[in-house]
Amino acid sequence: MSENSAAPGTPTATAPGPQPEPIRFFGTTWVDHDGGYGLRRAGVAVGSLAAAVAACFVLRFAYEGLEIADVGGIVGMLVIAMFSICSAIAFRKTWEGFGARPQDPSREDALRGLKSIGFIGSLLAYFVRSLTEAPGEKLRRTEYEKARAQFEKRRSTRTGNPAARKASGRKRPKRG
C-alpha cells in the first residue's frame, strides 16, 4: 500500500502527539472541518431522517399485520407503548452518549436490547445532532484538545537529552 491509499480524514502516523479519534461517517474530518465535512453532515442528517421514516413505515406495516390478525386492542396498545417508550429511552441514551462517555459500560450493555427496539429514537437523535455538528464531535474535540494540551505541556518541560546534561558538581563513579 502506498501513502496515498489512506482514506480521507484518517490521521497520519507521522504526526507527533495524540491522534484524534475518528467518528463514524466522518473519520477525522471533524478536526479541521475539511474533506467534505459539510456534505457529510448533510448526508448523515438526510440519511438518518430517511432511515427513521422508513422504519416508521415498517412499524406501521407490522401494526397493520396485528390488526389483520385481530389480536385485540390491548396488544396493539402495548406494541405502540413499547415502541414509544423504547424510542424515547433510546433517544435520551443516544443523546447523552454524544456529550459524555458512559459511566457504567455494563449498564449500557444491558440497555442494548432496549435501544435496539427503540432504534427510531436513536436515528432521530443522530438526525437532530447532525444539524449542528458531527454526532459526538463536541465530546471528542474536548478530549482531543485536552490530550494535545497535556502533550504540549509534557513536551515543553523536557529540554534536551538528560544524559547530555553536565553533572552539578558531583562526579558519578564509573561502572566497570
Side-chain angles (χ1 to χ4, degrees), residues 26 46 50 59 71-72 85 110 120 124:
F26 294 91
V46 169
L59 289 179
V71 293
I85 292 169
I120 293 174
L124 291 176

Side-chain angles (χ1 to χ4, degrees), residues 2-175:
S2 68
E3 291 180 20
N4 297 334
S5 64
T10 56
T12 58
T14 59
Q19 298 297 318
E21 184 180 349
I23 298 176
R24 183 182 302 157
F25 305 122
F26 294 91
T28 57
T29 60
W30 60 268
V31 176
D32 296 322
H33 292 187
D34 60 351
Y37 172 81
L39 290 174
R40 290 176 190 224
R41 255 190 45 208
V44 165
V46 169
S48 60
L49 185 62
V53 169
C56 287
F57 277 119
V58 169
L59 289 179
R60 179 176 179 225
F61 294 140
Y63 182 76
E64 287 177 359
L66 290 175
E67 285 183 348
I68 291 171
D70 196 27
V71 293
I74 216 146
V75 172
M77 294 298 283
L78 287 174
V79 167
I80 291 172
M82 177 193 63
F83 276 106
S84 300
I85 292 169
C86 290
S87 290
I89 292 170
F91 181 92
R92 181 172 164 247
K93 288 297 182 184
T94 303
W95 191 265
E96 288 173 355
F98 295 146
R101 301 276 181 189
Q103 297 295 327
D104 187 10
S106 62
R107 182 159 188 232
E108 291 297 316
D109 288 341
L111 290 174
R112 184 174 292 151
L114 188 119
K115 287 169 66 173
S116 297
I117 293 169
F119 64 99
I120 293 174
S122 292
L123 289 170
L124 291 176
Y126 217 78
F127 166 72
V128 172
R129 181 60 94 171
S130 64
L131 293 176
T132 58
E133 67 177 8
E137 177 181 349
K138 184 177 181 181
L139 171 66
R140 288 183 176 85
R141 185 172 302 282
T142 303
E143 291 173 349
Y144 176 63
E145 288 174 354
K146 183 179 177 184
R148 289 293 298 177
Q150 288 176 347
F151 174 76
E152 291 300 324
K153 184 178 178 184
R154 281 193 312 256
R155 196 162 186 224
S156 66
T157 58
R158 286 191 242 153
T159 56
N161 184 356
R165 291 186 194 147
K166 293 183 180 182
S168 60
R170 318 181 275 163
K171 291 191 176 188
R172 294 186 183 177
K174 291 184 179 180
R175 293 185 183 181

